[in-house]
Amino acid sequence: MLEIPESLTIAKQLNGTIKGLKVSSVEAAHTKHSFAWYSGEPEFYAKIMEGRQLGEAIGWGSYLEISLGDYCFAVGDGTNLRYYAPGEKLPGRYQTRIVLEDGSSLVCTVQMYGSMFLIRPEEYDNFYYQVAKEKPMPGTGDFDYAYFRELKQEASGTLSMKAFLATEQRIPGLGNGVLQDILLRAGLHPRKKVGTVPESRWKQVYQAVTDTLEKMTAAGGRNTEKDLFGRQGGYSVMLSRNTVGKGCPYCGTIIQKASYLGGTVYFCPGCQEL
């Protein structure tokens, strides 16, 4: 899924690959999908985008956005965006294809759910989009320790660490995927209540958030996800479906998994305090 490391990585790759190229043709809603969301009818995309030059791509939270003059093409969490070189074989099923003047293509595919919106940013009032743009992202100057402590003070002490960090858009783009390694580094169980974490440990939590996301982004994303070219990221995730049943990299205790808050959490019983 598209989380902070992937949105930043893919935006950088887009800027180095397709920025400045003109759009030759656009095909939206190619393969029917009940949970693929668009803005307007499929013809709207071709009408607005064809002939326009692709501008800067920006990643924030779980969104990717490519500027096209006064419009932007925005891809949300759940949508896979891939680049295909001229002549490269395309997938048989996809939702949106943007063909560029050099014959290359940007292709969007949706598995479970995903959005591909063509919008005027100042007019688009989607809650998740607006929050992702307005709130500071880890790794930026505004996401300092004072801001992080404010988030804690505004939250209920009965919230679990997973609920605090990865729900309610407190930190857009920090989802269940990147959460696992953050909590392992912080030494806290996903179910541990925020109110039971001593103030002296809170700086460690903040450092775990910022350091983990920095490492993931610097490595080009997680090895459980793929980049613009369909390659796995270079960051080896410590806690995921691939490491269940293996030894914790810190203490050797067997990594476990459990269902919690609508998803799966992975944890080390030896390192992560409950």
Side-chain angles (χ1 to χ4, degrees):
M1 303 297 280
L2 195 64
E3 297 185 33
I4 290 170
E6 287 69 45
S7 66
L8 293 177
T9 294
I10 295 174
K12 182 178 180 180
Q13 292 173 330
L14 285 167
N15 287 326
T17 306
I18 54 85
K19 184 179 178 181
L21 294 177
K22 286 186 178 180
V23 176
S24 295
S25 63
V26 181
E27 183 183 20
H30 172 269
T31 303
K32 186 177 180 180
H33 193 298
S34 299
F35 299 102
W37 299 303
Y38 308 90
S39 48
E41 297 299 320
E43 309 82 55
F44 170 68
Y45 288 75
K47 178 181 178 181
I48 298 298
M49 297 177 73
E50 289 178 2
R52 293 199 181 211
Q53 188 177 55
L54 296 177
E56 185 177 11
I58 302 174
W60 51 61
S62 56
Y63 274 92
L64 275 166
E65 186 173 278
I66 308 172
S67 66
L68 293 122
D70 55 338
Y71 278 86
C72 284
F73 181 68
V75 171
D77 183 27
T79 300
N80 296 312
L81 180 63
R82 298 285 182 269
Y83 171 83
Y84 290 86
E88 190 174 355
K89 185 178 179 180
L90 301 176
R93 299 172 63 85
Y94 57 84
Q95 277 57 59
T96 299
R97 179 188 179 192
I98 303 169
V99 183
L100 306 178
E101 61 180 326
D102 66 350
S104 63
S105 296
L106 292 177
V107 175
C108 297
T109 57
V110 175
Q111 294 183 340
M112 295 176 62
Y113 62 87
S115 60
M116 296 145 283
F117 293 141
L118 182 59
I119 59 171
R120 281 193 173 101
E122 69 277 5
E123 298 175 358
Y124 189 54
D125 61 356
N126 178 278
F127 168 76
Y128 295 99
Y129 177 82
Q130 293 296 338
V131 167
K133 293 194 76 169
E134 292 168 2
K135 288 195 173 184
M137 192 161 57
T140 65
D142 290 336
F143 195 93
D144 56 13
Y145 182 54
Y147 173 78
F148 190 66
R149 286 191 73 254
E150 285 179 15
L151 292 180
K152 179 203 173 189
Q153 291 164 358
E154 293 168 359
S156 167
T158 61
L159 284 177
S160 67
M161 288 304 300
K162 174 179 175 175
F164 171 73
L165 289 174
T167 67
E168 302 299 325
Q169 296 296 299
R170 286 183 187 83
I171 308 174
L174 195 166
N176 194 59
V178 301
L179 170 77
Q180 316 296 332
D181 279 21
I182 289 172
L183 289 181
L184 178 60
R185 280 196 166 91
L188 300 174
H189 194 284
R191 295 179 185 266
K192 187 170 180 64
K193 302 301 182 186
V194 169
T196 66
V197 179
E199 185 66 28
S200 58
R201 291 282 301 280
W202 206 246
K203 188 65 176 286
Q204 182 183 348
V205 179
Y206 169 75
Q207 209 65 53
V209 170
T210 55
D211 288 356
T212 303
L213 291 173
E214 181 182 4
K215 291 178 185 297
M216 289 177 171
T217 303
R222 296 165 283 159
N223 65 343
T224 52
E225 302 295 330
K226 294 183 179 180
D227 66 8
L228 182 66
F229 307 104
R231 304 175 304 211
Q232 288 183 329
Y235 175 90
S236 296
V237 176
M238 294 185 288
L239 296 183
S240 74
R241 63 184 180 275
N242 299 328
T243 63
V244 173
K246 298 179 180 178
C248 168
Y250 293 138
C251 73
T253 303
I254 298 300
I255 294 168
Q256 298 181 12
K257 71 172 183 177
S259 296
Y260 183 54
L261 292 181
T264 302
V265 291
Y266 307 92
F267 58 94
C268 169
C271 288
Q272 291 177 263
E273 175 187 325
L274 177 60

